[in-house]
Amino acid sequence: MSLPTFVTDEPFSAPGTVTLGEDAAHHMRVRRLETGVLVGLVDGHGTRGTGVLTQLAKRHATVAVERAESVAPAAAVHLLLPVADKDRMLWLAEKATELEVASWRPVTYRRSRNVTPRGEGPTFQQKVRARMGGALEQSRGAWLPVLFPEATVEHAIAARPEGICLVLEQGGMPLVSALTPRLAAVRERSVPLPPVTLAVGPEGGFEPAEVAALEAAGFAPVSLGRNILRFETAAVGALAAVRALLDVVGAGLPLTPDYEGVD
């Protein structure tokens, strides 16, 4: 059986004690956990550990921390996603967390206004945070994405970190073909991996002025194939591809396969 793991709202260290909130206590009761059982802990800011459940009440639970370790963050991938359908944004929040997205910034594109019910506002952001917490517990990750409020296209562009910027656009260069030489150049210079920012458009696509603004800011158009994808499909596919390439470079593996000697 996998170790039941819970996100804490407070930092922890070993030895020590941490108090989990009502949601965690509820999940413990649903899973029929009893005091004395070993549970996993993660604070979403790079600390992961284990402890013994010492108290389970209706609105809280107490865990005696036995082990805590610091986990380095993965190479940063930042996501600019569209303000869109609520349920599909929540699904994407889970998958983006599993793929270790560094930050989540919803963008109000012009066509976002045509969506109802759309995911926006502080209450919806709390739901996103809850979904991300559940995904972090399930995936045994250590870092929660940084959540930003909704932004205009102009603000999202201005707030992007320096690094590699890609925008998913039909007709762009294949993502892997566009990113591989950029990462190869980084490896040759023996410098740290730069952050990668991915911009995903809304249902119906970008307006021409939005694409022009992104490209003028240095976003390279890339694609994931010949079909038009839903925004959440495109985001997950792009995140997985970027994460895989970054992991290859980070591990010092070749970016192109060596088929020599293979029949």
Side-chain angles (χ1 to χ4, degrees), residues 27-200:
H27 291 157
M28 287 178 177
R29 291 195 300 274
V30 169
R31 299 184 68 163
R32 299 184 178 180
L33 300 184
E34 299 179 350
T35 55
V37 70
L38 188 70
V39 298
L41 298 168
V42 59
D43 69 354
H45 300 285
T47 302
R48 186 167 56 200
T50 56
V52 174
L53 178 63
T54 58
Q55 183 184 25
L56 179 56
K58 183 176 181 180
R59 298 187 181 278
H60 72 276
T62 304
V63 175
V65 183
E66 295 186 337
R67 181 184 63 84
E69 63 176 348
S70 295
V71 179
V77 182
H78 302 276
L79 179 62
L80 306 183
L81 71 149
V83 171
D85 175 80
K86 287 184 175 181
D87 289 340
R88 289 157 66 185
M89 288 180 72
L90 290 172
W91 181 87
L92 178 56
E94 294 179 353
K95 308 312 169 190
T97 303
E98 293 172 19
L99 290 166
E100 298 186 274
V101 162
S103 73
W104 164 282
R105 190 184 300 273
V107 181
T108 306
Y109 296 104
R110 181 176 176 183
R111 290 178 180 172
S112 292
R113 295 301 182 187
N114 299 330
V115 179
T116 183
R118 57 181 175 266
E120 59 186 349
T123 300
F124 181 73
Q125 191 174 53
Q126 292 175 4
K127 294 181 179 180
V128 169
R129 172 62 175 78
R131 287 293 185 94
M132 288 179 169
L136 192 71
E137 293 172 351
Q138 181 275 330
S139 64
R140 302 291 179 85
W143 291 87
L144 281 169
V146 177
L147 268 63
F148 293 105
E150 299 85 27
T152 63
V153 177
E154 295 75 16
H155 177 76
I157 289 173
R160 77 194 187 285
E162 292 296 327
I164 298 172
C165 297
L166 307 173
V167 54
L168 292 179
E169 177 70 355
Q170 195 71 14
M173 180 183 292
L175 187 152
V176 173
S177 298
L179 186 55
T180 298
R182 288 172 167 82
L183 294 179
V186 169
R187 173 181 284 173
E188 290 176 1
R189 297 196 303 271
S190 299
V191 296
L193 287 172
V196 177
T197 300
L198 283 171
V200 181

Side-chain angles (χ1 to χ4, degrees), residues 11 26 116 220 259:
H26 172 72
T116 183
Y259 295 109

